[in-house]
Each structure stands twice: as structure tokens, then as C-alpha cells.
Amino acid sequence: FEGEDVYYGYLYCEQETPGYTNDSSAVSEAFGHVFDEDGICAKGCYQSAEAVEGVYQITNIGQFYWFAQTVNGGERKANAILLSDLDLQGREWTTICSTDLYYNTSYYGDTGYEGTFNGNGHVIRNFVVKGIAGTKCSVGLFGTTYNATIKKLGVDEMTFDVNGAADVRAAAIVGQMIYTTVENCYVINSTLTPGQFIVGGIAACNYAGVICNSFTKNVAISGHERCGNLVSDTRGDRSDTDRRSTVKNC
């Protein structure tokens, strides 16, 4: 800290001991989180969601972002239920389990989210999903899912920004679904127009999964020749010809 103003105190919520810093916002007494009605505190921390019988109960924006942090931090089989509609107010959404593309993850590497997300008939609206600059990645509310279930979820006013990504599999709900079921879901009033990449409304890629009882409406889609308002790339398991992708009642 030589040559700069130095302060001694607490900077972070629930910081256990004070320390030296160049940040003038340090205070002399420890403090906890003070969450607003959206579940976000003044320091930008997110309110944790309570688990009831192994299912996280999501009631506000902060808890939804906290759930994403929790899954991305390693709890890939976490289950959750949405208990209210969420308006993200134009915020950028950090994809749950954005991974490399399927041809690199199907036999090794990170295969993504493995839990059950129950939208419970609610809608998540007004948010932006961005690609990761310079990478090949899966993006959406969920990037890649494996043996997962996403159900009873609506998405309204989602916008995708390629953000300099080298290649993407982008969708409003899930970029790459592997052995996954997406049921009773919808996407409306959204825009996914990244140019040459593979995009879809519900899912960009369905690999040996099931999409059922779902729809899109007023969704602008453009990209690679393999793109679709509901789903783009659909194929079965490369090593098991009996495991095929299914789209029904959509």
C-alpha cells in the first residue's frame, strides 16, 4: 500500500477480521448483509435460498443468482423450484453451467447441470445472456444439462449477445441438452440473432433428450442453417442408436 492512502477496517459483508486496504469505503465495525426486496445487498451479495426437502426455494432475483453461483460452484445436482415470477430488469444473466461444445464434452469434460429445475408455472423475464469472448460455449438460462429436468418454466424478453464468442450453442432455456427432459416450457418475445451460430428458442441442441408440451411465440431467430424457433440441432446418442431425441406435442 506504499504511496497511497491506506485504510483499516471492514469492506465485505460478514468479514470476520478487519484488514488494510486502499478502499476508502472500509468501516470500523463488522456488518452483515442487508438485503433489499430483490434479495440483493448493498455490497452486491445475493440472498441464499432455503432448501426444503432437498429443493431450493427461489422467491426473488437474488436467490436465483445465488442458485446459479451455487451450481456453477460445483453443486451440479442441485434442485430448485421457482415460487414467483422474476423480472431481472435488464440484468446480464450468468449462464448456469456454460461448457465447451458437445463434441468436446460428450466423452470427457464438463457435462453440465444434472438437477431438476421446476419453474412451477412462473416466468423469468427481461434479461440478457452473453457469449464468452474468444471461447466456444453453451449459453442460455442453462448452458449444458445432463440427465436433467427443466419443467413448467416461461421465458419472456430474453436477448442474446454473442459478445465475441468464437462459437456458441445458444437458447433462451438451454444451449445443449444431453439426455435431458424439457417439458411444459415456453419462450416468448425474445431475440436470438447471433449470425452464423446454432441457436434455438427452447434449446439450441437436443442430444438424446425430450422436449414436450412446449412452445415459442414472437421469437426472432437467425443463425446457422441449423436453427429453429423451438430447437435447432437434434440428434441421438452417437454410441447408442436406441437413444434418440424426441420432440412431441409442441
PDB file of all heavy atoms in Angstrom, residues 41-55:
ATOM      1  N   CYS A  41     -27.920  -7.337  -1.621  1.00  0.00           N
ATOM      2  CA  CYS A  41     -27.484  -6.379  -0.613  1.00  0.00           C
ATOM      3  C   CYS A  41     -26.659  -5.267  -1.262  1.00  0.00           C
ATOM      4  O   CYS A  41     -26.271  -5.346  -2.427  1.00  0.00           O
ATOM      5  CB  CYS A  41     -26.712  -7.065   0.514  1.00  0.00           C
ATOM      6  SG  CYS A  41     -24.960  -7.329   0.200  1.00  0.00           S
ATOM      7  N   ALA A  42     -26.399  -4.218  -0.475  1.00  0.00           N
ATOM      8  CA  ALA A  42     -25.717  -3.031  -0.998  1.00  0.00           C
ATOM      9  C   ALA A  42     -24.322  -3.359  -1.529  1.00  0.00           C
ATOM     10  O   ALA A  42     -23.796  -2.651  -2.393  1.00  0.00           O
ATOM     11  CB  ALA A  42     -25.635  -1.962   0.081  1.00  0.00           C
ATOM     12  N   LYS A  43     -23.704  -4.420  -1.035  1.00  0.00           N
ATOM     13  CA  LYS A  43     -22.376  -4.824  -1.484  1.00  0.00           C
ATOM     14  C   LYS A  43     -22.430  -5.784  -2.679  1.00  0.00           C
ATOM     15  O   LYS A  43     -21.418  -6.310  -3.113  1.00  0.00           O
ATOM     16  CB  LYS A  43     -21.618  -5.484  -0.338  1.00  0.00           C
ATOM     17  CG  LYS A  43     -21.251  -4.526   0.797  1.00  0.00           C
ATOM     18  CD  LYS A  43     -20.189  -3.528   0.369  1.00  0.00           C
ATOM     19  CE  LYS A  43     -19.719  -2.670   1.516  1.00  0.00           C
ATOM     20  NZ  LYS A  43     -18.645  -1.725   1.143  1.00  0.00           N
ATOM     21  N   GLY A  44     -23.635  -6.024  -3.187  1.00  0.00           N
ATOM     22  CA  GLY A  44     -23.781  -6.865  -4.370  1.00  0.00           C
ATOM     23  C   GLY A  44     -23.887  -8.350  -4.090  1.00  0.00           C
ATOM     24  O   GLY A  44     -23.870  -9.161  -5.030  1.00  0.00           O
ATOM     25  N   CYS A  45     -24.018  -8.737  -2.815  1.00  0.00           N
ATOM     26  CA  CYS A  45     -24.165 -10.154  -2.472  1.00  0.00           C
ATOM     27  C   CYS A  45     -25.612 -10.602  -2.707  1.00  0.00           C
ATOM     28  O   CYS A  45     -26.538  -9.786  -2.676  1.00  0.00           O
ATOM     29  CB  CYS A  45     -23.774 -10.393  -1.022  1.00  0.00           C
ATOM     30  SG  CYS A  45     -22.104  -9.870  -0.615  1.00  0.00           S
ATOM     31  N   TYR A  46     -25.790 -11.887  -2.903  1.00  0.00           N
ATOM     32  CA  TYR A  46     -27.109 -12.437  -3.168  1.00  0.00           C
ATOM     33  C   TYR A  46     -27.620 -13.228  -1.966  1.00  0.00           C
ATOM     34  O   TYR A  46     -26.873 -13.942  -1.297  1.00  0.00           O
ATOM     35  CB  TYR A  46     -27.066 -13.349  -4.393  1.00  0.00           C
ATOM     36  CG  TYR A  46     -26.618 -12.656  -5.650  1.00  0.00           C
ATOM     37  CD1 TYR A  46     -25.548 -13.155  -6.398  1.00  0.00           C
ATOM     38  CD2 TYR A  46     -27.241 -11.495  -6.086  1.00  0.00           C
ATOM     39  CE1 TYR A  46     -25.119 -12.514  -7.550  1.00  0.00           C
ATOM     40  CE2 TYR A  46     -26.821 -10.844  -7.236  1.00  0.00           C
ATOM     41  CZ  TYR A  46     -25.762 -11.357  -7.960  1.00  0.00           C
ATOM     42  OH  TYR A  46     -25.340 -10.716  -9.090  1.00  0.00           O
ATOM     43  N   GLN A  47     -28.911 -13.109  -1.736  1.00  0.00           N
ATOM     44  CA  GLN A  47     -29.550 -13.835  -0.643  1.00  0.00           C
ATOM     45  C   GLN A  47     -29.601 -15.322  -0.965  1.00  0.00           C
ATOM     46  O   GLN A  47     -29.956 -15.712  -2.073  1.00  0.00           O
ATOM     47  CB  GLN A  47     -30.964 -13.296  -0.435  1.00  0.00           C
ATOM     48  CG  GLN A  47     -31.696 -13.882   0.745  1.00  0.00           C
ATOM     49  CD  GLN A  47     -33.073 -13.247   0.914  1.00  0.00           C
ATOM     50  OE1 GLN A  47     -33.659 -12.728  -0.052  1.00  0.00           O
ATOM     51  NE2 GLN A  47     -33.593 -13.277   2.113  1.00  0.00           N
ATOM     52  N   SER A  48     -29.261 -16.148  -0.013  1.00  0.00           N
ATOM     53  CA  SER A  48     -29.301 -17.591  -0.235  1.00  0.00           C
ATOM     54  C   SER A  48     -30.740 -18.096  -0.195  1.00  0.00           C
ATOM     55  O   SER A  48     -31.607 -17.513   0.460  1.00  0.00           O
ATOM     56  CB  SER A  48     -28.461 -18.327   0.809  1.00  0.00           C
ATOM     57  OG  SER A  48     -28.950 -18.081   2.106  1.00  0.00           O
ATOM     58  N   ALA A  49     -30.991 -19.172  -0.915  1.00  0.00           N
ATOM     59  CA  ALA A  49     -32.317 -19.785  -0.944  1.00  0.00           C
ATOM     60  C   ALA A  49     -32.371 -20.919   0.068  1.00  0.00           C
ATOM     61  O   ALA A  49     -31.419 -21.691   0.215  1.00  0.00           O
ATOM     62  CB  ALA A  49     -32.619 -20.316  -2.343  1.00  0.00           C
ATOM     63  N   GLU A  50     -33.495 -21.019   0.750  1.00  0.00           N
ATOM     64  CA  GLU A  50     -33.680 -22.095   1.722  1.00  0.00           C
ATOM     65  C   GLU A  50     -33.950 -23.406   0.990  1.00  0.00           C
ATOM     66  O   GLU A  50     -34.681 -23.444  -0.009  1.00  0.00           O
ATOM     67  CB  GLU A  50     -34.853 -21.759   2.640  1.00  0.00           C
ATOM     68  CG  GLU A  50     -35.158 -22.839   3.665  1.00  0.00           C
ATOM     69  CD  GLU A  50     -36.414 -22.558   4.465  1.00  0.00           C
ATOM     70  OE1 GLU A  50     -37.111 -21.571   4.150  1.00  0.00           O
ATOM     71  OE2 GLU A  50     -36.704 -23.344   5.395  1.00  0.00           O
ATOM     72  N   ALA A  51     -33.378 -24.491   1.490  1.00  0.00           N
ATOM     73  CA  ALA A  51     -33.648 -25.815   0.942  1.00  0.00           C
ATOM     74  C   ALA A  51     -34.715 -26.510   1.781  1.00  0.00           C
ATOM     75  O   ALA A  51     -34.588 -26.606   3.000  1.00  0.00           O
ATOM     76  CB  ALA A  51     -32.381 -26.655   0.908  1.00  0.00           C
ATOM     77  N   VAL A  52     -35.777 -26.952   1.140  1.00  0.00           N
ATOM     78  CA  VAL A  52     -36.836 -27.708   1.801  1.00  0.00           C
ATOM     79  C   VAL A  52     -36.884 -29.084   1.161  1.00  0.00           C
ATOM     80  O   VAL A  52     -37.133 -29.207  -0.041  1.00  0.00           O
ATOM     81  CB  VAL A  52     -38.194 -26.997   1.661  1.00  0.00           C
ATOM     82  CG1 VAL A  52     -39.299 -27.842   2.277  1.00  0.00           C
ATOM     83  CG2 VAL A  52     -38.152 -25.619   2.313  1.00  0.00           C
ATOM     84  N   GLU A  53     -36.582 -30.102   1.959  1.00  0.00           N
ATOM     85  CA  GLU A  53     -36.534 -31.486   1.461  1.00  0.00           C
ATOM     86  C   GLU A  53     -35.658 -31.592   0.223  1.00  0.00           C
ATOM     87  O   GLU A  53     -36.005 -32.246  -0.759  1.00  0.00           O
ATOM     88  CB  GLU A  53     -37.951 -32.005   1.188  1.00  0.00           C
ATOM     89  CG  GLU A  53     -38.814 -32.074   2.447  1.00  0.00           C
ATOM     90  CD  GLU A  53     -40.196 -32.625   2.183  1.00  0.00           C
ATOM     91  OE1 GLU A  53     -40.559 -32.810   0.998  1.00  0.00           O
ATOM     92  OE2 GLU A  53     -40.921 -32.883   3.153  1.00  0.00           O
ATOM     93  N   GLY A  54     -34.521 -30.905   0.269  1.00  0.00           N
ATOM     94  CA  GLY A  54     -33.535 -31.021  -0.795  1.00  0.00           C
ATOM     95  C   GLY A  54     -33.808 -30.176  -2.018  1.00  0.00           C
ATOM     96  O   GLY A  54     -33.130 -30.341  -3.044  1.00  0.00           O
ATOM     97  N   VAL A  55     -34.773 -29.246  -1.938  1.00  0.00           N
ATOM     98  CA  VAL A  55     -35.119 -28.406  -3.086  1.00  0.00           C
ATOM     99  C   VAL A  55     -34.994 -26.939  -2.669  1.00  0.00           C
ATOM    100  O   VAL A  55     -35.661 -26.490  -1.736  1.00  0.00           O
ATOM    101  CB  VAL A  55     -36.551 -28.684  -3.585  1.00  0.00           C
ATOM    102  CG1 VAL A  55     -36.890 -27.787  -4.767  1.00  0.00           C
ATOM    103  CG2 VAL A  55     -36.704 -30.146  -3.963  1.00  0.00           C
TER     104      VAL A  55
END
